[in-house]
Amino acid sequence: MSDRAPQTHDGVQMTGIANQEIAGPEAGSLEARASVALKILAAIKVAGMVLAMFPPIPPVSTFHTVMFNLAAGALAVLYVLEARALDRSRPWAVALVRPLLLLVAASGAYSILVAFGTGRIVLPFDLGLAAWAWLGRRDLAQRARRDRRTAALLGAAVPLILSMSFGGKLFAWGGAFDVHEPDLSAALHVDCGPPASGPPPSIAMSYDWGWTSTSPLPSGIDIVVVGWTGVDEEGRPLFVLDRTPEPGGGIHPGLRDYPSLAMADEIGQESTGSWQWGIQLSEQRLAPGQFEAQLLRTREVGPGQKTLVVKASYVHLGLWRKDVAPVTCTW
C-alpha cells in the first residue's frame, strides 16, 4: 500500500476512480453534447467570417462587417476553449456550460424572431444545437466549480453574443454609431443677380455641409440633390445645368448608386430640373464638403416677371433626407 498522497488537478483529486476527468464526459451527456455543439458553432462562426470577406450584394456597412468578424472570431475561440475544457472535464468549464448554452439559445431565438418580423427564414443552428446539448443527461454536474476562468469567459461571451444579436442596431447604417439628421448642417447659396435686370445668362450656386459628429469606418454613398423650377412665358425650362467641375475628395457629380439612389430620385422629381452629386463616404469620410455649379439660361426671355426656385437635399444612405431652405430668384 503506497503512502503517496493523491495528486490533484484543477482542484479534483486524481485517484484511479477520478481518472474519468481525463477521459472526458460520457457520450450522450450534456457536457459531451455541449462540446460537440460548441465546436460546430465555432466552425459556423469561422465560415461566416470567410463569407464576409466577399463583397455583399447589395453592399452593407463596412463597420458592421468588421465588428461582426471580430465578434465571430472571438466567439469561435471562446467556444473552442470551452469545448476542449469540457473534453477534459474541467470543473470551471462544467460550471460555465449551462449559462453559456442559455446565452446561445437566447441569441438563436432572437435571430429567428427578427428574421420572422422581416419576412425571412433562417436556420436556427444556435437554438437547435443549444437545445440538443441541454437535453443530454448531466454527467459532471457534481464537479462544477466556478472560478475566475468561469467568470472571465462568461463575461466575455455576454457582450460578444449581444454585439452579434444587436449588431444591426449598433453598427449598421442608421445604427447607434452612425451619423443622424441632427448631426448635419448644410447651406445652399445662389447668386440671383440684380432683380431689375431680368434673368441673367448664368447663375452661380454652391452647396456646403458639415457634421457635428462622425462615424467609425464610414461607407456607402450619400447623394446631394439640387433641383430647380422655373419656366419662361411659353412654359419651357428657364435654366439648365452647365457642366459641373469635379470637386474631388470623394464627391462625384452624377454618381448615383445604392443605397441612396431611390430616395434621391424621388427628391429629383419634386423639381422640373435636377442633378445629383454622389459622396463616396469611404473616400470623403464625413469631412466637410462643398461643390459649385452654374445654371445657364436656355434662351432670351420676353417681358414679364420670371421666377426660379432652387432647392437642395442631402440623402444619407437612403435612410433620411435633410432639406435646406430653398432660394427663390425673382426678376
PDB file of all heavy atoms in Angstrom, residues 36 52 71 90 109-110 141 215 244 257 263:
ATOM      1  N   VAL A  36     -19.551  19.093 -28.540  1.00  0.00           N
ATOM      2  CA  VAL A  36     -19.778  18.953 -29.983  1.00  0.00           C
ATOM      3  C   VAL A  36     -20.484  20.181 -30.535  1.00  0.00           C
ATOM      4  O   VAL A  36     -20.117  20.724 -31.582  1.00  0.00           O
ATOM      5  CB  VAL A  36     -20.609  17.678 -30.270  1.00  0.00           C
ATOM      6  CG1 VAL A  36     -20.975  17.602 -31.745  1.00  0.00           C
ATOM      7  CG2 VAL A  36     -19.838  16.434 -29.846  1.00  0.00           C
ATOM      8  N   ALA A  52     -17.956  36.731 -45.186  1.00  0.00           N
ATOM      9  CA  ALA A  52     -17.986  38.190 -45.058  1.00  0.00           C
ATOM     10  C   ALA A  52     -16.832  38.852 -45.797  1.00  0.00           C
ATOM     11  O   ALA A  52     -16.854  40.075 -46.014  1.00  0.00           O
ATOM     12  CB  ALA A  52     -17.941  38.587 -43.580  1.00  0.00           C
ATOM     13  N   ALA A  71     -16.325  39.908 -33.547  1.00  0.00           N
ATOM     14  CA  ALA A  71     -17.117  39.168 -32.568  1.00  0.00           C
ATOM     15  C   ALA A  71     -17.180  37.689 -32.909  1.00  0.00           C
ATOM     16  O   ALA A  71     -17.073  36.830 -32.024  1.00  0.00           O
ATOM     17  CB  ALA A  71     -18.536  39.753 -32.494  1.00  0.00           C
ATOM     18  N   ARG A  90     -12.984  19.800 -17.049  1.00  0.00           N
ATOM     19  CA  ARG A  90     -12.513  20.839 -16.142  1.00  0.00           C
ATOM     20  C   ARG A  90     -13.694  21.378 -15.337  1.00  0.00           C
ATOM     21  O   ARG A  90     -14.723  21.756 -15.902  1.00  0.00           O
ATOM     22  CB  ARG A  90     -11.858  21.976 -16.911  1.00  0.00           C
ATOM     23  CG  ARG A  90     -10.659  21.556 -17.765  1.00  0.00           C
ATOM     24  CD  ARG A  90      -9.533  21.010 -16.890  1.00  0.00           C
ATOM     25  NE  ARG A  90      -8.304  20.851 -17.654  1.00  0.00           N
ATOM     26  CZ  ARG A  90      -7.634  19.731 -17.756  1.00  0.00           C
ATOM     27  NH1 ARG A  90      -8.087  18.644 -17.140  1.00  0.00           N
ATOM     28  NH2 ARG A  90      -6.523  19.673 -18.453  1.00  0.00           N
ATOM     29  N   ALA A 109     -32.869  32.304 -30.587  1.00  0.00           N
ATOM     30  CA  ALA A 109     -34.303  32.607 -30.585  1.00  0.00           C
ATOM     31  C   ALA A 109     -34.556  34.037 -31.047  1.00  0.00           C
ATOM     32  O   ALA A 109     -35.495  34.313 -31.812  1.00  0.00           O
ATOM     33  CB  ALA A 109     -34.878  32.388 -29.191  1.00  0.00           C
ATOM     34  N   TYR A 110     -33.712  34.959 -30.611  1.00  0.00           N
ATOM     35  CA  TYR A 110     -33.873  36.365 -31.025  1.00  0.00           C
ATOM     36  C   TYR A 110     -33.679  36.520 -32.532  1.00  0.00           C
ATOM     37  O   TYR A 110     -34.426  37.246 -33.187  1.00  0.00           O
ATOM     38  CB  TYR A 110     -32.884  37.241 -30.271  1.00  0.00           C
ATOM     39  CG  TYR A 110     -32.932  38.692 -30.684  1.00  0.00           C
ATOM     40  CD1 TYR A 110     -33.945  39.525 -30.225  1.00  0.00           C
ATOM     41  CD2 TYR A 110     -31.969  39.232 -31.546  1.00  0.00           C
ATOM     42  CE1 TYR A 110     -34.001  40.858 -30.607  1.00  0.00           C
ATOM     43  CE2 TYR A 110     -32.015  40.562 -31.932  1.00  0.00           C
ATOM     44  CZ  TYR A 110     -33.037  41.369 -31.461  1.00  0.00           C
ATOM     45  OH  TYR A 110     -33.093  42.687 -31.853  1.00  0.00           O
ATOM     46  N   ALA A 141     -22.248  17.277 -13.389  1.00  0.00           N
ATOM     47  CA  ALA A 141     -22.783  18.426 -12.661  1.00  0.00           C
ATOM     48  C   ALA A 141     -22.196  18.540 -11.264  1.00  0.00           C
ATOM     49  O   ALA A 141     -21.966  19.647 -10.751  1.00  0.00           O
ATOM     50  CB  ALA A 141     -24.312  18.324 -12.587  1.00  0.00           C
ATOM     51  N   SER A 215     -18.604  58.930 -37.681  1.00  0.00           N
ATOM     52  CA  SER A 215     -18.922  57.514 -37.547  1.00  0.00           C
ATOM     53  C   SER A 215     -17.675  56.694 -37.862  1.00  0.00           C
ATOM     54  O   SER A 215     -16.919  57.058 -38.774  1.00  0.00           O
ATOM     55  CB  SER A 215     -20.059  57.133 -38.503  1.00  0.00           C
ATOM     56  OG  SER A 215     -20.314  55.740 -38.477  1.00  0.00           O
ATOM     57  N   THR A 244     -20.473  70.549 -64.679  1.00  0.00           N
ATOM     58  CA  THR A 244     -20.113  70.713 -63.274  1.00  0.00           C
ATOM     59  C   THR A 244     -18.681  70.231 -63.047  1.00  0.00           C
ATOM     60  O   THR A 244     -18.310  69.140 -63.507  1.00  0.00           O
ATOM     61  CB  THR A 244     -21.069  69.924 -62.369  1.00  0.00           C
ATOM     62  OG1 THR A 244     -21.065  68.546 -62.754  1.00  0.00           O
ATOM     63  CG2 THR A 244     -22.492  70.462 -62.500  1.00  0.00           C
ATOM     64  N   ASP A 257     -26.024  55.710 -56.966  1.00  0.00           N
ATOM     65  CA  ASP A 257     -25.886  54.293 -56.656  1.00  0.00           C
ATOM     66  C   ASP A 257     -26.588  53.993 -55.339  1.00  0.00           C
ATOM     67  O   ASP A 257     -27.002  54.898 -54.598  1.00  0.00           O
ATOM     68  CB  ASP A 257     -24.409  53.901 -56.583  1.00  0.00           C
ATOM     69  CG  ASP A 257     -24.173  52.426 -56.919  1.00  0.00           C
ATOM     70  OD1 ASP A 257     -25.157  51.656 -56.903  1.00  0.00           O
ATOM     71  OD2 ASP A 257     -23.018  52.051 -57.170  1.00  0.00           O
ATOM     72  N   MET A 263     -34.280  57.193 -52.945  1.00  0.00           N
ATOM     73  CA  MET A 263     -34.748  58.406 -52.285  1.00  0.00           C
ATOM     74  C   MET A 263     -34.326  59.647 -53.055  1.00  0.00           C
ATOM     75  O   MET A 263     -35.093  60.615 -53.182  1.00  0.00           O
ATOM     76  CB  MET A 263     -34.228  58.462 -50.851  1.00  0.00           C
ATOM     77  CG  MET A 263     -34.747  59.652 -50.054  1.00  0.00           C
ATOM     78  SD  MET A 263     -34.171  59.676 -48.317  1.00  0.00           S
ATOM     79  CE  MET A 263     -35.130  58.307 -47.649  1.00  0.00           C
TER      80      MET A 263
END
